[in-house]
Amino acid sequence: MTGSPADPSTSSPACPAAAQRGAEGFRLGNEILAFRFVATLGERRADPVERIATPERLRAWLAANGLGGTDTPVTEALLRDARELREAIHRAGTAVACGGVPEAADEELLNRWGARHRARLSLCGGQAQWHLPDADPARAALAVVALDAVATLGGQRDGVLKRCEQATCGGLFVDTSRGGRRRWCSMATCGNKVKKANLKASRDCAGAGAAPEAASRPGAASRSGGASEAASGAGRQGQPA
């Protein structure tokens, strides 16, 4: 079985139209395949959003990342195994990002998945393309994800592994920016959320400070006092002598 063109371990693949339609709702902007898989559970620090709730959605994610087609068979059992793999990648990646090492159980799980790797990467028309075995292709596709995680967590990539700083995300990314100043897993999503929140907070502060500032301007009190005296004088003029 042949996957979509491009190497999903280094970039988002150029997907067929059917795969692109099925990719709606997935976050595919992360440069690391394994961390795109981690992002199938969103809003980890708030109300988690499950993006592979069914076997069909897992199939769609694999197809969108060049790992199989829209007809790749996926079972409920494989979906459970896939989620277990995803969470092991997230835990291990979080440990590394925090300066530690993964738990032995998570390393063992990733290594077991990696040992199942049977996909072949070949050059087709100038593009790298995954070829999956006919027997259990979806499981072989997930083994590609596991190997990508092993390579990334094991320091086989340039850059620094970090956790996204957006308050509700909890995603992972590799910072290859000059000076190591990248803060978010995706500028298009988490980065924009942070900037919009900061802009709203700034506007709210400006609005809250506008009224007190106007009241404290020089002359405001005297003008107010003068108006009160004028009103009081008018009232006295109207009173009988």
Side-chain angles (χ1 to χ4, degrees):
M1 179 175 290
T2 302
S4 301
D7 178 0
S9 67
T10 56
S11 63
S12 298
C15 304
Q20 289 179 338
R21 288 193 298 272
E24 183 178 355
F26 294 133
R27 292 185 57 178
L28 303 176
N30 200 306
E31 300 86 348
I32 306 299
L33 172 67
F35 295 163
R36 292 202 294 273
F37 190 49
V38 165
T40 58
L41 184 67
E43 300 296 302
R44 288 175 175 270
R45 296 173 182 166
D47 296 322
V49 177
E50 180 59 77
R51 296 188 173 106
I52 50 171
T54 65
E56 291 74 23
R57 291 301 288 163
L58 175 57
R59 179 191 302 123
W61 185 89
L62 292 172
N65 285 276
L67 293 167
T70 54
D71 58 349
T72 300
V74 177
T75 64
E76 287 284 354
L78 182 61
L79 177 61
R80 289 192 295 271
D81 290 346
R83 288 179 184 162
E84 182 184 34
L85 171 63
R86 177 188 67 190
E87 295 313 301
I89 295 172
H90 181 256
R91 287 190 300 269
T94 299
V96 174
C98 294
V101 296
E103 293 289 336
D106 290 331
E107 286 190 341
E108 182 183 353
L109 180 64
L110 291 176
N111 290 336
R112 283 205 311 269
W113 271 100
R116 298 168 180 162
H117 180 62
R118 292 175 292 130
R120 293 183 298 104
L121 190 62
S122 58
L123 196 61
C124 302
Q127 291 184 312
Q129 190 173 70
W130 285 108
H131 293 266
L132 304 175
D134 292 332
D136 210 354
R139 194 170 293 275
L142 289 170
V144 173
V145 176
L147 278 181
D148 187 68
V150 169
T152 303
L153 302 181
Q156 298 299 305
R157 297 185 186 278
D158 294 333
V160 179
L161 200 159
K162 294 182 177 180
R163 293 184 74 186
C164 183
E165 294 184 23
Q166 198 273 328
T168 63
C169 178
L172 300 166
F173 65 95
V174 173
D175 183 3
T176 58
S177 66
R178 181 175 297 178
R181 296 179 179 178
R182 181 173 166 185
R183 299 173 55 197
W184 307 296
C185 61
S186 170
M187 184 63 222
T189 51
C190 288
N192 276 340
K193 282 183 180 180
V194 172
K195 290 194 171 185
K196 286 179 180 178
N198 289 343
L199 180 60
K200 182 178 183 301
S202 177
R203 287 174 175 170
D204 289 345
C205 287
E213 181 183 351
S216 64
R217 284 174 187 155
S222 61
R223 287 194 300 271
S224 175
S228 298
E229 290 175 5
S232 177
R236 287 194 300 270
Q237 290 176 1
Q239 292 177 358

